[in-house]
Amino acid sequence: MKAPLVGDFVEGELGRVLRALSVADRDGDRVGFSALCRQHASELDARRDEWLRVPEELREPLRRNTKAMLAYPQTIQRLARELDELGRPDALRQLSGADLPGDPLGKIQEAEILAEDGEYEAADALLHAELAQGLSDDVRRAAIHSRLVRNAAMQDDLDTAVDHARLAHDLALRSGDQGVEKAAAVLDDLLTARELRRGTLDGRQLGACRETLTNAQQLSDRAWFAESNQVLLRLLDELDALPEEASARRFLGKLCGLMGLNHFHAGEHDEARAWTRKALQDCRRHEDHTGAEVYAANLKEIDRAAGV
């Protein structure tokens, strides 16, 4: 069974535009696809409810034969991303919108089996189809995006992996899920890998910073707290010399937090409190909610140990 065009289920002029977009997408005509999106962006955005969801009559065929039907959800996903790049983010956000009855976790397991067999496109199609139908549970949506992260990374598509990692992290934060710290770490690793691959000065600085932090953490784990802090202070001088927009500066919170932890273990409560406050302030400035929660809790522990 050949996948129908997205516009086949939409009436009028919008249906014609969507069919043209589907054809351009399947032909690999990225220029034509982008041009059509720009030309009709307003109507596509305003009437997104008419094309975002996989129609009821296609859901069962998509589940039974994901390979053959792959093109349909792919076009929906690409169209939503294109509108997002044009400053119209609602369609992309709505891909994880409204309510859906049933058990999507079963579909996640199905997708995992496909991915284990190297059928990444089929697995992605299944996962995108679930998102396109809509899910109200942020934890489940985060789980789906996490699987899409893994599939994209396995295919060496770092841009797509980063996109889904951001969504997984945002959803985990919003839901208060316990996996938020892991989601933040995955996103950070992917951002770093992408910068390193690009070979920019910013990327090299980012990689060097992570390596130094790892070294300092290893020293701290061995209870060599003073030596760890010496490494961190040298790194702090390097970061302070970088421009404010440098990617490596986002590690200031972790650096200060580890300094505070080293002083705490050494029984130096005043220094531990000062560095941990700096870490908390930096995390709040960069909207690192997970880090802010960790360092706020650390401050309470420092005060408890100091008898404050």
Side-chain angles (χ1 to χ4, degrees):
M1 178 180 180
K2 184 177 180 181
L5 304 176
V6 175
D8 290 346
F9 298 89
V10 179
E11 296 181 355
E13 177 64 15
L14 180 61
R16 184 195 66 78
V17 171
L18 286 165
R19 285 191 291 275
L21 282 163
S22 293
V23 171
D25 185 35
R26 295 182 193 187
D27 288 346
D29 182 6
R30 302 264 68 84
V31 174
F33 185 85
S34 296
L36 276 170
C37 283
R38 284 195 302 273
Q39 183 180 352
H40 300 281
S42 179
E43 186 176 13
L44 287 166
D45 186 41
R47 296 175 60 185
R48 58 186 176 274
D49 288 340
E50 297 180 41
W51 56 265
L52 262 180
R53 289 173 178 248
V54 175
E56 185 68 37
E57 56 266 44
L58 287 187
R59 292 178 186 177
E60 188 56 34
L62 182 58
R63 290 187 175 111
R64 283 190 282 103
N65 195 345
T66 52
K67 280 188 178 181
M69 300 293 289
L70 178 64
Y72 195 97
Q74 279 186 336
T75 296
I76 289 176
Q77 183 76 9
R78 287 177 181 134
L79 180 50
R81 286 185 180 179
E82 190 74 30
L83 288 173
D84 181 59
E85 290 179 5
L86 292 171
R88 299 176 182 272
D90 289 341
L92 191 57
R93 290 173 182 166
Q94 198 169 321
L95 277 178
S96 50
D99 293 330
L100 174 70
D103 180 17
L105 288 182
K107 296 304 172 185
I108 293 177
Q109 293 168 353
E110 246 184 272
E112 284 185 341
I113 293 171
L114 287 167
E116 287 172 3
D117 292 337
E119 300 286 349
Y120 296 115
E121 287 190 349
D124 286 354
L126 194 60
L127 294 170
H128 284 310
E130 292 301 328
L131 291 173
Q133 291 177 52
L135 293 171
S136 60
D137 187 332
D138 286 344
V139 174
R140 289 183 174 184
R141 279 186 281 165
I144 291 176
H145 283 294
S146 293
R147 267 60 175 193
L148 287 164
V149 168
R150 189 186 309 166
N151 291 353
M154 291 298 294
Q155 296 174 87
D156 207 26
D157 184 353
L158 290 181
D159 287 336
T160 298
V162 165
D163 289 343
H164 287 295
R166 286 190 196 280
L167 288 167
H169 180 239
D170 290 345
L171 288 164
L173 273 175
R174 190 162 68 190
S175 66
D177 181 47
Q178 292 180 346
V180 66
E181 190 170 347
K182 180 179 178 181
V186 169
L187 176 58
D188 186 65
D189 286 343
L190 287 168
L191 287 169
T192 301
R194 188 170 67 174
E195 288 299 319
L196 288 170
R197 173 171 294 181
R198 289 173 176 173
T200 61
L201 174 60
D202 202 39
R204 291 192 294 274
Q205 290 171 340
L206 191 62
C209 176
R210 281 173 61 89
E211 186 176 345
T212 302
L213 276 173
T214 298
N215 181 33
Q217 182 66 64
Q218 290 170 343
L219 291 169
S220 179
D221 292 342
R222 298 186 185 109
W224 295 346
F225 305 122
E227 292 80 0
S228 176
N229 280 345
Q230 289 175 5
V231 171
L232 292 170
L233 285 171
R234 288 195 295 271
L235 178 59
L236 181 62
D237 288 340
E238 294 175 16
L239 292 181
D240 283 341
L242 296 176
E244 189 65 33
E245 66 275 10
S247 295
R249 287 182 63 85
R250 74 169 185 262
F251 289 126
L252 276 171
K254 291 183 180 179
L255 186 157
C256 294
L258 183 53
M259 287 280 291
L261 190 63
N262 286 338
H263 282 296
F264 175 73
H265 287 313
E268 299 160 352
H269 294 143
D270 289 341
E271 292 86 349
R273 188 180 297 108
W275 283 104
T276 305
R277 281 176 178 163
K278 288 181 181 180
L280 178 59
Q281 291 167 359
D282 189 80
C283 288
R284 286 174 173 169
R285 183 165 56 251
H286 290 94
E287 297 184 352
D288 177 1
H289 304 292
T290 303
E293 289 180 6
V294 169
Y295 298 128
N298 285 1
L299 277 175
K300 291 181 181 179
E301 179 61 22
I302 293 167
D303 288 342
R304 188 198 62 77
V308 176

